[in-house]
Amino acid sequence: AGGWSPSDSDHYQWLQVDFGNRKQISAIATQGRYSSSDWVTQYRMLYSDTGRNWKPYHQDGNIWAFPGNVNSDGVVRHELQHPIIARYVRIVPLDWNGEGRIGLRIEVYGCSYWADVINFDGHVVLPYRFRNKKMKTLKDVIALKFKTSESEGVILHGEGQQGDYITLELKKAKLVLSLNLGSNQLGPIYGHTSVMTGSLLDDHHWHSVVIERQGRSINLTLDRSMQHFRTNGEFDYLDLDYEITFGGIPFSGKPSSSGRKNFKGCMESINYNGINITDLARRKKLEPSNVGNLSFSCVEPYTVPVFFNATSYLEVPGRLNQDLFSVSFQFRTWNPNGLLVFSHFADNLGNVEIDLTESKVGVHINITHTKMSQIDISSGSGLNDGQWHEVRFLAKENFAILTIDGDEASAVRTNSPLQVKTGEKYFFGGFLNQMNNSSHSVLQPSFQGCMQLIQVDDQLVNLYEVAQRKPGSFANVSIDMCAIIDRCVPNHCEHGGKCSQTWDSFRCTCDETGYSGATCHNSIYEPSCEAYKHLGQTSNYYWIDPDGSGPLGPLKVYCNMTEDKVWTIVSHDLQMQTTVVAYNPEKYSVTQLVYSASMDQISAITDSAEYCEQYVSYFCKMSRLLNTPDGSPYTWWVGKANEKHYYWGGSGPGIQKCACGIERNCTDPKYYCNCDADYKQ
């Protein structure tokens, strides 16, 4: 009466709401049980489309714990930082009034939601064919939502005979957009551009993607996180032929169509330049490929993940006294170390421990009835990368084999003397507290991460039955949820610092970046040559960082320390004289000066300088003057503000005479200047 109050007040209670169909949820409010001492002071919110595969609500990059109530009647409402879309909501109390018990009334706020859904089976491809066979666009807007359990797969693809293409795909559960607006095979124009964003996108939860292109300027937005970039090359139009396809690349015999997996999962709200692709598909206005099956309801995976923290364990029963020990499972984690499985053999024959040690899977078989006390084998590397990895271990009399990620060729075997009799209990991720004594030593700390597809003695473990504690037991695990977070996406390490992480934290490696500090923020170099002079340094090459901890990187310059001035000299690749040859029919020549710094770095140096000069000499021999549009024998230079500076041969700006005319040593002042100054005209 007066609200929800479970019979047991512990951390395994929850209240679940089914809205009947998917809703967009924007706020939640809670109250304690009416006129009582029962209220929840802190809670977590999970949500799901199906009542399975729950996702915790995230805020500020973390699994969010909502502050609850301080009495039984006050209402505490929270506006969600970002709306969520779900059919089911589950409220999990984390803490409650110590003088009472769990007591809760809730109200959820939001609005209706509806979208066409398409299920791709990993074979079918959905093409949208252009009316005019070719599509030439300066501007594109492509939007869609997807969810999948696969880490690889092409989401959309289009290409043209001129070499243009656009591909959006998953690689190692990250989103990759590849784009080419045109390349010149005979020249220096190379248009391929590839950008990667996101992480852990194989969680079978909805992710939103928007691609906005205006010429070479691109905005790529994934789940409210936008990345801006410009494509390589010099072209602005995207030229596609015949069609753009969703769910994969139709096989054409071209290199682009081979070796890439099709998308397997669900998409909704596909919109290509204002065209509702999902609606056209539902109304059978598009013709999917003959291979595979396209359906309009989302097929859910059969896998049930289980989430471990540092104090968790999962106990499942085995088949006692078997002479074949067999266990397999998939796991994902960021930690390099952790206990994966532990089990005692029957008849006191010993035990088996499978753990993660320095990112490798190791198996330790402790034997009590033979002279050899322990058998150790290990396999794999870099297995703490957040991806799903499969472990299969099999042991029988005088034989054991460990296989990682199905790679039979790299499987590790041993033929050491071994007697096997399976025990009745298998512990995953940790131990019961009472087993942590000297007779049950554990090499590794408890596992933090997720597992799924757990098989013991060739039997798939029913985790829903374990959740009801029949049979088996557990502590501090979350079944049917994998709450892994990638703390390196977005990357908080600045200036190219490398991000690495454990389950609880991340760190930045700043080696060879020119920066130091927790996030590689502080420059290790002085901002200018002037600063080096104040430190007592003499003329030499130095690294400077003109904007300090700003986005510009450091650069190497020559510092010329004179008595009254300090010169910062930035070199380029055209120090020697280079012959200039006119190109017919345009009759012009382009010579590139490639500096040892970017234009932004050069601008940072010149903006802070008292005086700046750039030395360029142009020698033009036996050339008639007065053939310029206004009949003047001058050359002009364009400044950084696009202003023109006029120079007559060998003299300074604004004088409007050649140097030889001023010095009166020209053979014919009207037509020729022959002088040995900066210009010979």
Side-chain angles (χ1 to χ4, degrees):
W4 169 64
S5 187
S7 56
D8 296 321
S9 287
D10 58 33
H11 292 100
Y12 302 106
Q13 308 304 318
W14 42 261
L15 176 64
Q16 182 173 306
V17 181
D18 177 4
F19 296 112
N21 49 50
R22 295 165 74 196
K23 305 289 184 185
Q24 180 168 297
I25 299 164
S26 57
I28 185 168
T30 60
Q31 215 174 357
R33 194 163 69 89
Y34 176 74
S35 188
S36 71
S37 299
D38 306 337
W39 60 83
V40 172
T41 58
Q42 192 179 52
Y43 62 93
R44 188 165 287 150
M45 182 171 68
L46 315 179
Y47 59 97
S48 167
D49 281 357
T50 61
R52 291 184 48 197
N53 189 29
W54 295 90
K55 182 171 185 176
Y57 174 76
H58 286 74
Q59 190 166 306
D60 299 332
N62 291 294
I63 299 173
W64 193 247
F66 290 89
N69 301 92
V70 295
N71 55 45
S72 63
D73 294 324
V75 175
V76 177
R77 173 170 168 155
H78 295 284
E79 303 292 331
L80 302 188
Q81 195 177 71
H82 52 85
I84 60 173
I85 295 168
R87 173 177 169 176
Y88 297 87
V89 166
R90 186 178 280 188
I91 306 302
V92 181
L94 300 177
D95 206 356
W96 47 90
N97 180 27
E99 297 179 359
R101 50 194 298 119
I102 293 175
L104 187 64
R105 289 175 278 176
I106 68 168
E107 187 146 3
V108 182
Y109 301 84
C111 55
S112 59
Y113 178 84
W114 186 88
D116 283 315
V117 177
I118 300 177
N119 189 82
F120 293 83
D121 63 358
H123 303 285
V124 70
V125 175
L126 182 65
Y128 171 71
R129 294 186 173 88
F130 308 135
R131 290 181 179 178
N132 300 324
K133 293 189 177 182
K134 292 183 181 294
M135 183 68 74
K136 184 183 183 75
T137 57
L138 179 64
K139 178 182 178 181
D140 289 299
V141 179
I142 305 173
L144 58 86
K145 293 181 179 179
F146 72 89
K147 71 174 181 176
T148 180
S149 301
E150 303 292 323
S151 60
E152 309 277 332
V154 174
I155 296 173
L156 69 87
H157 176 78
E159 61 183 67
Q161 294 179 346
Q162 298 181 17
D164 295 23
Y165 55 79
I166 179 171
T167 305
L168 184 70
E169 61 186 316
L170 289 170
K171 290 184 176 180
K172 293 188 175 181
K174 299 175 185 285
L175 192 68
V176 179
L177 174 63
S178 301
L179 195 64
N180 192 337
L181 302 182
S183 298
N184 184 350
Q185 296 179 350
L186 302 178
I189 301 172
Y190 181 65
H192 172 75
T193 309
S194 184
V195 172
M196 180 178 290
T197 186
S199 178
L200 309 174
L201 300 177
D202 56 350
D203 58 357
H204 207 75
H205 291 289
W206 287 107
H207 298 281
S208 172
V209 184
V210 180
I211 303 167
E212 300 168 290
R213 184 184 72 87
Q214 180 71 47
R216 294 172 55 201
S217 180
I218 313 288
N219 287 336
L220 174 61
T221 305
L222 172 66
D223 296 336
R224 301 172 304 279
S225 177
M226 189 184 78
Q227 191 169 344
H228 177 78
F229 65 96
R230 288 183 63 82
T231 60
N232 297 322
E234 297 180 356
F235 301 109
D236 294 317
Y237 284 87
L238 177 62
D239 294 282
L240 303 181
D241 292 339
Y242 306 118
E243 64 187 16
I244 185 168
T245 58
F246 298 89
I249 303 176
F251 182 74
S252 62
K254 296 181 180 179
S256 63
S257 65
S258 61
R260 295 158 102 168
K261 293 178 65 175
N262 285 358
F263 176 80
K264 184 178 181 181
C266 309
M267 293 191 212
E268 69 176 26
S269 305
I270 305 173
N271 195 292
Y272 171 68
N273 290 335
I275 300 163
N276 189 333
I277 301 297
T278 39
D279 179 63
L280 291 177
R282 187 177 57 84
R283 293 191 289 117
K284 297 187 174 3
K285 300 294 184 181
L286 303 179
E287 296 182 14
S289 61
N290 294 327
V291 180
N293 182 41
L294 193 75
S295 58
F296 297 95
S297 61
C298 198
V299 176
E300 297 298 320
Y302 65 90
T303 56
V304 180
V306 56
F307 173 60
F308 296 83
N309 63 34
T311 60
S312 304
Y313 78 88
L314 178 73
E315 176 209 325
V316 299
R319 297 165 63 190
L320 185 63
N321 290 326
Q322 302 294 306
D323 57 7
L324 178 66
F325 181 100
S326 173
V327 64
S328 68
F329 56 92
Q330 293 181 0
F331 76 91
R332 71 190 318 173
T333 185
W334 297 118
N335 288 355
N337 304 301
L339 176 68
L340 298 172
V341 183
F342 183 89
S343 181
H344 283 285
F345 287 147
D347 297 341
N348 200 28
L349 292 176
N351 58 58
V352 176
E353 179 181 331
I354 304 176
D355 58 34
L356 197 62
T357 306
E358 297 181 355
S359 308
K360 298 180 179 181
V361 171
V363 177
H364 314 283
I365 307 173
N366 296 296
I367 306 166
T368 56
H369 285 187
T370 63
K371 292 181 180 179
M372 182 181 291
S373 60
Q374 184 166 307
I375 301 172
D376 297 320
I377 58 176
S378 66
S379 183
S381 63
L383 300 178
N384 62 327
D385 58 359
Q387 305 293 312
W388 284 110
H389 295 286
E390 182 193 38
V391 177
R392 281 190 285 137
F393 176 69
L394 183 148
K396 56 185 180 180
E397 186 175 2
N398 301 332
F399 176 79
I401 181 170
L402 172 65
T403 309
I404 305 297
D405 291 334
D407 187 359
E408 304 289 349
S410 300
V412 180
R413 298 169 174 82
T414 178
N415 297 106
S416 300
L418 176 63
Q419 187 178 354
V420 173
K421 270 194 178 182
T422 57
E424 59 181 346
K425 294 180 180 179
Y426 290 72
F427 291 91
F428 289 83
F431 269 119
L432 278 167
N433 283 335
Q434 60 264 32
M435 295 188 67
N436 285 330
N437 54 48
S438 59
S439 64
H440 300 99
S441 61
V442 181
L443 297 180
Q444 296 301 331
S446 296
F447 175 72
Q448 287 179 289
C450 304
M451 293 188 192
Q452 65 182 13
L453 296 174
I454 298 174
Q455 292 193 46
V456 170
D457 297 334
D458 289 330
Q459 297 288 322
L460 184 65
V461 175
N462 187 330
L463 289 171
Y464 289 125
E465 289 186 356
V466 175
Q468 299 172 30
R469 302 181 188 273
K470 52 173 191 181
S473 66
F474 60 86
N476 299 324
V477 299
S478 298
I479 293 175
D480 215 351
M481 181 177 80
C482 180
I484 186 171
I485 296 174
D486 192 336
R487 301 183 186 278
C488 289
V489 175
N491 188 357
H492 298 287
C493 304
E494 302 177 49
H495 303 108
K498 186 177 180 181
C499 180
S500 59
Q501 61 186 310
T502 61
W503 195 262
D504 301 311
S505 62
F506 75 93
R507 66 185 296 269
C508 298
T509 303
C510 308
D511 298 347
E512 300 180 3
T513 65
Y515 298 86
S516 63
T519 59
C520 310
H521 179 73
N522 306 316
S523 179
I524 63 175
Y525 301 113
E526 299 298 327
S528 65
C529 288
E530 189 84 24
Y532 281 107
K533 185 179 181 182
H534 288 315
L535 294 173
Q537 302 292 340
T538 58
S539 297
N540 207 336
Y541 284 97
Y542 295 96
W543 286 91
I544 65 170
D545 196 338
D547 70 337
S549 296
L552 300 179
L555 71 153
K556 197 172 186 179
V557 299
Y558 186 79
C559 297
N560 185 12
M561 318 285 193
T562 64
E563 289 186 8
D564 56 338
K565 286 189 174 77
V566 178
W567 290 91
T568 303
I569 300 172
V570 184
S571 58
H572 58 73
D573 64 342
L574 203 66
Q575 304 288 351
M576 306 300 291
Q577 288 189 11
T578 302
T579 302
V580 178
V581 180
Y583 287 79
N584 291 324
E586 293 88 353
K587 298 282 179 84
Y588 71 83
S589 173
V590 176
T591 301
Q592 299 280 357
L593 299 180
V594 180
Y595 278 85
S596 60
S598 68
M599 283 305 300
D600 289 335
Q601 289 173 320
I602 292 173
S603 296
I605 295 172
T606 57
D607 289 345
S608 61
E610 294 179 11
Y611 175 75
C612 171
E613 67 179 27
Q614 181 183 43
Y615 178 80
V616 180
S617 294
Y618 178 61
F619 297 84
C620 183
K621 300 180 180 180
M622 304 305 294
S623 173
R624 290 189 64 83
L625 299 176
L626 305 179
N627 59 353
T628 54
D630 57 356
S632 302
Y634 57 66
T635 304
W636 71 87
W637 312 99
V638 180
K640 70 174 183 177
N642 221 27
E643 76 280 8
K644 282 187 177 181
H645 301 278
Y646 298 98
Y647 293 85
W648 291 51
S651 64
I655 298 177
Q656 297 188 348
K657 283 187 179 181
C658 288
C660 62
I662 298 171
E663 298 169 4
R664 299 182 181 279
N665 59 358
C666 301
T667 55
D668 187 346
K670 185 176 181 180
Y671 293 110
Y672 291 94
C673 291
N674 293 319
C675 47
D676 294 322
D678 285 349
Y679 303 89
K680 288 195 174 182
Q681 294 184 313

